[in-house]
Amino acid sequence: MRLTCLAPVLCVGWNLIMVAALEPISTGLAVGIAAAVTGFLARYQNVLYYFQECCRPEWISYNKTGLQEDLQKKLFGQHVASQVVFKAVTGFMNNENPKKPLVLSLHGWTGTGKNFVSQLIAKNIYHKGMESGFVHLFTATAHFPHTRDLETYKTQLQQWIKGNVTNCPRSMFIFDEMDKMQPGLIDSIKPYLDFYERLDGVSYRQAIFIFLSNAGGQNIVQVALDFWTAGRQREEIQLKDLETAVSLSVFNNQESGFWHTSLIDKNLVDFFVPFLPLEFKHVVQCGMAEMAAKGLELNATVVDRMARDLNYFPKDERVFSVKGCKVISSRLDFYTD
């Protein structure tokens, strides 16, 4: 649990009063100092909120333009995901009285941008981004590794979410590796994602839940291949071409954390967001962006050579990258050494 924002105010005021009391000055002067401090805090206490993260607009506010630009300029080859994420987040954040939390499920092969998008969402809502105390990341293999402890995990997860939403209604919860999550675990938080106004006095309607999974990736790849084989443009692919197939795939996959989950059959997931397999040109874009992020001099020749040495499929046509942009950072270190 995080301390409330009143803590710095009370501590500053009390410390100043104690200093005044310890100094060899008159009682009248000490009282005067205390009164002045109290008046200052009453009038300018909002200034102190800038020194400790709080569940307030100074620390939590939606940057619509920032998210739109980040998705357009930093996320490559994902026109469907970009559009869906931007509209979903914007609509939710602009709604002063949402009927339920925002629930997004991001699907696709590794290296296509799922984790990156969750970071962009956090960056444009929370002043401290992923470092915010109100953004909570869970990974299946790290936080829920043992099948024998399933019931314990369920209880802990419920307590953790309830405690953090009580502390800050505008909390974000990211669940990575949903394809490795134990079936049944995620159903334990189903009540918090539903259309309840309050549960035990707590409203979850302003919270955001994001699930990341490789499950359904094969279905997405097949659609992309079908479009390519038919000679159709990648940009012609729409959400309607993918969403139903993805949701059915993860619901019926016994190895998925979404297997027969009530989150799906009760329609509590607002959007299943598909991430398409990346092509060579997108890998090059990732490489150039990574060089810029590392502060390196941009070198298209080096990036092109690095991108061509990666694996693609189908084997003969080499259309889609096997690992997307997952290994770009480490590969660039090798090619620029």
Side-chain angles (χ1 to χ4, degrees):
M1 294 291 182
R2 296 179 58 82
L3 295 175
T4 66
C5 297
L6 292 178
V9 179
L10 295 176
C11 289
V12 171
W14 178 253
N15 288 339
L16 288 176
I17 293 172
M18 289 300 294
V19 169
L22 293 174
E23 292 295 331
I25 54 180
S26 68
T27 302
L29 182 56
V31 172
I33 294 175
V37 169
T38 302
F40 173 82
L41 294 178
R43 186 174 181 181
Y44 298 107
Q45 60 177 319
N46 285 351
V47 174
L48 298 174
Y49 294 141
Y50 288 94
F51 296 95
Q52 178 179 329
E53 186 182 35
C54 301
C55 189
R56 290 172 51 91
E58 290 88 348
W59 292 92
I60 305 176
S61 60
Y62 178 48
N63 184 354
K64 175 183 175 180
T65 301
L67 180 60
Q68 186 174 39
E69 291 183 351
D70 281 344
L71 291 171
Q72 290 176 348
K73 299 178 180 179
K74 298 179 181 180
L75 181 67
F76 307 117
Q78 303 298 352
H79 67 284
V80 177
S82 293
Q83 182 183 50
V84 174
V85 167
F86 176 69
K87 287 188 175 181
V89 174
T90 299
F92 180 74
M93 294 299 295
N94 288 341
N95 187 350
E96 295 182 359
N97 187 31
K99 300 301 181 183
K100 63 181 290 297
L102 176 63
V103 183
L104 301 177
S105 190
L106 281 47
H107 297 266
W109 275 12
T110 183
T112 52
K114 302 184 299 297
N115 274 287
F116 184 55
V117 165
S118 65
Q119 294 169 17
L120 293 182
I121 295 173
K123 170 192 171 186
N124 287 286
I125 294 178
Y126 303 89
H127 181 71
K128 298 180 70 174
M130 290 297 293
E131 298 301 316
S132 170
F134 306 120
V135 176
H136 312 282
L137 174 64
F138 302 93
T139 57
T141 53
H143 295 101
F144 317 110
H146 305 299
T147 303
R148 65 178 183 271
D149 295 326
L150 178 59
E151 295 305 315
T152 299
Y153 294 150
K154 288 181 178 180
T155 301
Q156 291 175 340
L157 188 55
Q158 290 172 337
Q159 292 174 345
W160 181 258
I161 291 177
K162 180 179 180 180
N164 281 285
V165 174
T166 299
N167 186 50
C168 183
R170 186 68 82 187
S171 292
M172 179 184 290
F173 302 91
I174 303 171
F175 294 84
D176 197 5
E177 302 181 329
M178 280 299 299
D179 47 305
K180 299 180 177 66
M181 187 81 73
Q182 297 180 45
L185 175 58
I186 208 65
D187 263 350
S188 67
I189 66 170
K190 181 259 181 188
Y192 307 141
L193 277 58
D194 215 326
F195 290 82
Y196 299 117
E197 184 172 353
R198 289 182 178 273
L199 283 174
D200 295 328
V202 180
S203 173
Y204 297 87
R205 292 183 169 186
Q206 291 186 345
I208 299 175
F209 293 82
I210 302 177
F211 303 109
L212 312 178
S213 177
N214 291 344
Q218 188 59 49
N219 297 71
I220 298 171
V221 168
Q222 189 59 55
V223 170
L225 275 171
D226 290 344
F227 269 71
W228 176 78
T229 302
R232 301 177 64 182
Q233 295 296 315
R234 177 190 185 91
E235 288 70 23
E236 293 182 56
I237 300 175
Q238 300 180 36
L239 179 63
K240 66 181 182 180
D241 298 314
L242 295 159
E243 189 174 34
T244 300
V246 171
S247 63
L248 290 176
S249 174
V250 299
F251 182 77
N252 293 313
N253 185 348
Q254 294 188 29
E255 297 181 357
S256 168
F258 282 121
W259 183 64
H260 285 193
T261 175
S262 60
L263 270 63
I264 293 179
D265 63 11
K266 297 299 182 183
N267 298 311
L268 297 182
V269 177
D270 296 299
F271 292 97
F272 289 90
V273 186
F275 283 71
L276 300 169
L278 300 182
E279 300 176 12
F280 173 81
K281 62 182 179 182
H282 305 128
V283 175
V284 170
Q285 290 176 308
C286 287
M288 296 297 287
E290 184 64 22
M291 289 194 84
K294 289 176 176 289
L296 301 174
E297 182 179 355
L298 297 184
N299 189 324
T301 301
V302 168
V303 172
D304 185 85
R305 186 168 69 250
M306 178 273 301
R308 291 186 185 281
D309 285 347
L310 297 177
N311 295 320
Y312 296 84
F313 69 95
K315 185 175 181 180
D316 294 332
E317 292 84 358
R318 289 172 55 85
V319 180
F320 300 115
S321 172
V322 173
K323 295 184 178 180
C325 292
K326 191 75 171 182
V327 298
I328 293 297
S329 181
S330 58
R331 289 297 180 95
L332 272 180
D333 291 339
F334 175 79
Y335 283 87
T336 58
D337 187 13

